[in-house]
Amino acid sequence: MKAEYDLSKMKSRKNPYAAKLKKSVTMRLGEDVIEYFKQMAEESGVPYQSLINLYLRDCVASHRKIDISWQSQN
């Protein structure tokens, strides 16, 4: 194996799978939620957006459902 490689003549190309890896979305999150994940991010050294993604991915994997039930005020 060579000690050094000349990469100056190498052509770059886009990753064909990059678009399938993650999709950018705009979400409105409460300040308390953002602070919670930012604090966890600081403690763990993982970016807070990645932590949010990991949490949501865990919800998907475990088929976690939220119970949203609005009670009438009678």
Side-chain angles (χ1 to χ4, degrees):
M1 191 177 259
K2 291 184 179 182
E4 285 189 33
Y5 290 90
D6 181 16
L7 303 177
S8 64
K9 296 176 185 173
M10 190 171 143
K11 294 180 182 179
S12 65
R13 60 182 186 168
K14 290 185 176 181
N15 181 345
Y17 303 105
K20 296 178 182 177
L21 296 177
K22 290 189 179 180
K23 182 176 181 173
S24 179
V25 296
T26 302
M27 295 177 60
R28 294 184 182 275
L29 302 173
E31 288 184 32
D32 57 336
V33 172
I34 296 170
E35 272 308 308
Y36 176 80
F37 281 99
K38 281 187 175 182
Q39 184 178 11
M40 282 181 37
E42 194 173 304
E43 293 170 4
S44 65
V46 176
Y48 78 98
Q49 291 178 334
S50 296
L51 287 177
I52 293 170
N53 188 54
L54 287 169
Y55 180 77
L56 293 174
R57 184 176 302 226
D58 181 59
C59 290
V60 170
S62 62
H63 302 287
R64 191 171 298 137
K65 306 268 188 215
I66 188 168
D67 180 22
I68 301 175
S69 54
W70 304 102
Q71 296 182 4
S72 62
Q73 297 184 7
N74 288 335

